[in-house]
Amino acid sequence: MKVVIGEESGHVRLITLNRPRQLNVISSGVVVLLAELLEKWEKDDDVELIIIKGNGRAFSAGGDLKMFYEGKKDDYCLEVVYRMYWLCYHIHTYKKIQVGLVHGICMGGGASLIVPAKFSLVSEKTVFAVPEASFGFHTDCSFSYILSRLPGHLGEFLALTGARLNGKEMIAAGLATHFVPTEKFPELEKRLLDLNSGDEHAVRKVVEEFSVEVHPDKETLLNKLLVIDKCFAEDSVEDIIKSFEAEALYEGNGWIAPLLKSMKSFSPTGLKITLRSVRLAREQTLGECLKKEFRLTMNLLRSVISADPYEGIRSISIDKDNSPKWNPSTLAEVTDEKLDIVFKPFSEELELQIPAEGDTHRWSGKYEDSSYPSLMKAKQANKINHHN
């Protein structure tokens, strides 16, 4: 079965994520195919419009956690991480009009495929979250960049609590552009194929014909932005939690308790790395954010200061006991000195190679052109020699 299906129809191209039983999680095969299709179609003057959707009841639940768990030795997942973050840069800067049809679950790396699109269409079934800190990881796939640009401190709030947003809330937060009832998706897709054009005005006209104006429900978290901004503007995770606890005591703030409980159950290392990453992103370009996220991910997968991602994945995806043993187990033990280690830049040839501005170099910096393949080969040879 093909994990990504690419279809051609006149000037339109359709991408379908096709791992429905796995909620279309992103594996190395998915990343390679997406990158190939998007490069080919951007360079093809005949292509004007790209539509992306997920098969089954999810758009995409994010990265394939089991792949990371099974590949915990010898930088096994370095290649897929490199390729994904490199691809994220190209999705944000893509030259053709993209339309994301987003029904069902849309989380983490999955959401990174559609949030940057010119048209990201959500429905009453869409559920968004960036839950990475909950399993000892950090908000990646360009989400440090995306979240840092949301209103006030909503980005830090979403990253540190893993709070879910529905389709209406995604629109209000600026994470999606249009709300379309699920039953209208097939007809809308057909109309876009029939339109056979990437003219932005014409595409917008079709989308608006199917979309409805929506506002978040009264009890939405987005109506709590005063409290969220006050608490999540604090300098440290510890101070954010203290401030949030103080607000929880006020009448009408019952919504805070479950979020606090979640935060306190998350990996202390994941929380601290995530907060620093989103804060730094406020002053960083997209390219700088992706390079930083690449360093953080590789340092986490190498267990440089903590093996929490593997413990987190074990507890939610492997043993499913939902009782991770974090190490370090307290926020106080995750010192600034420890954080400095994972944020430290790599030497230039080991950084994620973001293409230079300008069309000639736009698709340069691929994994196969980086210094990593030869390094990995040398590593393997050393290992074999060592065994002999």
Side-chain angles (χ1 to χ4, degrees), residues 262-325:
S262 292
M263 265 181 97
K264 289 176 178 179
S265 72
F266 292 175
S267 153
T269 303
L271 287 171
K272 285 212 166 176
I273 289 176
T274 294
L275 179 62
R276 188 189 282 199
S277 179
V278 174
R279 287 275 158 88
L280 285 173
R282 289 175 180 268
E283 308 299 324
Q284 290 176 322
T285 63
L286 171 66
E288 286 166 343
C289 284
L290 287 164
K291 286 183 173 198
K292 169 199 66 190
E293 291 173 7
F294 177 69
R295 287 173 218 135
L296 292 175
T297 294
M298 291 320 303
N299 282 324
L300 281 165
L301 294 179
R302 289 167 180 161
S303 303
V304 170
I305 63 168
S306 167
D308 276 2
Y310 298 118
E311 175 58 11
I313 295 170
R314 178 204 65 73
S315 80
I316 54 171
S317 279
I318 311 298
D319 299 335
K320 300 185 178 171
D321 57 21
N322 287 317
S323 54
K325 307 280 181 285

